[in-house]
Amino acid sequence: MPSASSAPTRDSLAATLFPQSAASAPVEWSVSEGLVPYPDALAAMDRRVAAIADGTAPEAVWLLEHPPLYTAGTSAQPEDLVDQRFPVFEAGRGGQFTYHGPGQRVAYVMLDLKRRTPDVRRYVSALESWLIGTLSAFNITGERREDRVGVWVPRHGAEDKIAAIGIRLRRWVTFHGISLNVEPDLSHFTGIVPCGVREHGVTSFADLGLPVTMPEVDAVLRVAFEEVFGPTVLAPPLV
């Protein structure tokens, strides 16, 4: 029996890809223009997740931006809402408080883990690998941490969070997903304790001195996603 020290870490699990079964259709990849209201996004995800679970729709990744808002995950602590300057929504996903707003790429990922690997830990690790691969293409060193979810950038003896992960599963179909800070207003994060982590800050492509466009990031996200999760095909946005 393996010892506790030989148990797989998220680093070792990340070396394994997370492909779909050979019989599965490509993942539908869609991008919304403009700002999508959060309740509309939740409703659209609910519908699509139900259809995927019923076998009547293919898996999907939906890229969008939201108006400025805070979301509360299932572990959110009231004291972590420091300044309610924006609307707060109960997200239903795991995790604590997070911020969404213009300049942040949100990707809602709806995959059927029964067609892949029904292992939530490995799925989260695969999401981190996707983000780290995306950042690497822009010469940003993104790192994972065993004690907290997300992707972190080492900076001058400290580290800042550049991407958050929050997921939920229903009938083994995933929803919610990731958020990547491209050029959001970082002062908006000060209204919350992001993900309950007080000792570290947040950063973005722009904060790191990389003025990239959202379409440039989207193109790299798609390539990096396919390296981890398999082929995609363009599709209309969910709303």
Side-chain angles (χ1 to χ4, degrees), residues 167-212:
I167 67 167
R168 183 179 178 185
L169 273 72
R170 182 181 299 152
R171 295 165 61 190
W172 284 106
V173 178
T174 69
F175 55 127
H176 298 279
I178 63 100
S179 59
L180 178 61
N181 296 332
V182 179
E183 195 175 5
D185 185 336
L186 294 182
S187 72
H188 290 178
F189 284 88
T190 61
I192 57 172
V193 178
C195 303
V197 178
R198 287 178 164 79
E199 62 270 30
H200 302 294
V202 292
T203 190
S204 66
F205 282 76
D207 185 50
L208 294 170
L210 292 170
V212 298

Side-chain angles (χ1 to χ4, degrees), residues 41-107:
L42 286 183
M45 275 197 292
D46 276 341
R47 292 191 296 269
R48 186 55 175 261
V49 164
I52 293 170
D54 290 339
T56 59
E59 299 173 307
V61 174
W62 182 21
L63 275 59
L64 50 79
E65 293 173 84
H66 286 304
L69 57 91
Y70 298 128
T71 67
T74 54
S75 300
Q77 302 299 313
E79 62 269 22
D80 288 346
L81 181 59
V82 179
D83 178 7
Q84 191 175 336
R85 66 183 78 170
F86 303 121
V88 178
F89 294 93
E90 298 290 334
R93 54 159 176 78
Q96 302 186 47
F97 280 105
T98 193
Y99 165 77
H100 295 315
Q104 182 191 71
R105 176 51 85 210
V106 172

Side-chain angles (χ1 to χ4, degrees), residues 1-23:
M1 181 175 180
S3 66
S5 62
S6 66
T9 65
R10 292 219 311 274
D11 283 317
S12 64
L13 290 170
T16 304
L17 302 183
F18 212 83
Q20 69 250 77
S21 65

Side-chain angles (χ1 to χ4, degrees), residues 25-44:
V27 176
E28 291 193 344
W29 183 273
S30 61
V31 182
S32 285
E33 301 293 335
L35 303 179
V36 179
Y38 193 73
D40 293 355
L42 286 183

Side-chain angles (χ1 to χ4, degrees), residues 7 22 77 113 122 148-149 167 180 194 214 216:
Q77 302 299 313
L113 299 195
R122 277 187 56 184
R148 55 189 187 273
V149 174
I167 67 167
L180 178 61
M214 197 67 79
E216 288 172 331

